[in-house]
Amino acid sequence: MLSDQAITSPDAAIGLLVPEGMSEAPQEEMHVALLDTKLRLLREPHMLYRGTINQTTVRLAELFREAIRANAASIVVMHNHPSGDPTPSPEDVRVTRDMVAAGRLLDIDVADHLVIGRQGYVSLRQRGLGFS
């Protein structure tokens, strides 16, 4: 269900955006939420990729395709770690850096990249990983 609540923090994103069961998924999944200019959800988050037990491939053009079509102002990217440990990998940081750079070119802000695990989550933006 869509909410008029703005996604202004990682906690708000976790509460409103993360699909049920994502932390328990046996394979990596990447989901994207599209936000308007007031950081409200435009539509339910969609799964972009399902990978293996320890990786998923990200093609930046596909990551932003729906955001462009929906005229989204920003996106929140979420993916899980089936190991249960939400600690971002060096690859997670590299992909985040690439997403942020591509978003700047497209004038679509990457509001956050969240890594979901059974032991909680990590906001790469909050940790300053991949965002400059």
Side-chain angles (χ1 to χ4, degrees), residues 16-30:
L16 291 172
L17 303 179
V18 176
E20 189 174 325
M22 188 174 178
S23 65
E24 303 294 326
Q27 296 170 292
E28 279 202 16
E29 296 179 359
M30 177 172 280

Side-chain angles (χ1 to χ4, degrees), residues 64 67-68 72-75 99-100 102-110:
F64 286 97
I68 292 167
S74 60
I75 62 173
M99 284 189 260
V100 169
R104 282 190 187 121
L105 290 172
L106 296 168
D107 197 27
I108 299 172
D109 182 49
V110 178

Side-chain angles (χ1 to χ4, degrees), residues 25-30 49-58 79-83 89 91-92 94-95:
Q27 296 170 292
E28 279 202 16
E29 296 179 359
M30 177 172 280
Y49 291 109
R50 179 173 282 132
T52 66
I53 60 170
N54 62 358
Q55 71 179 23
T56 188
T57 304
V58 177
H79 83 276
N80 66 314
H81 281 177
S83 69
S89 69
E91 179 67 7
D92 293 337
R94 184 196 64 76
V95 167

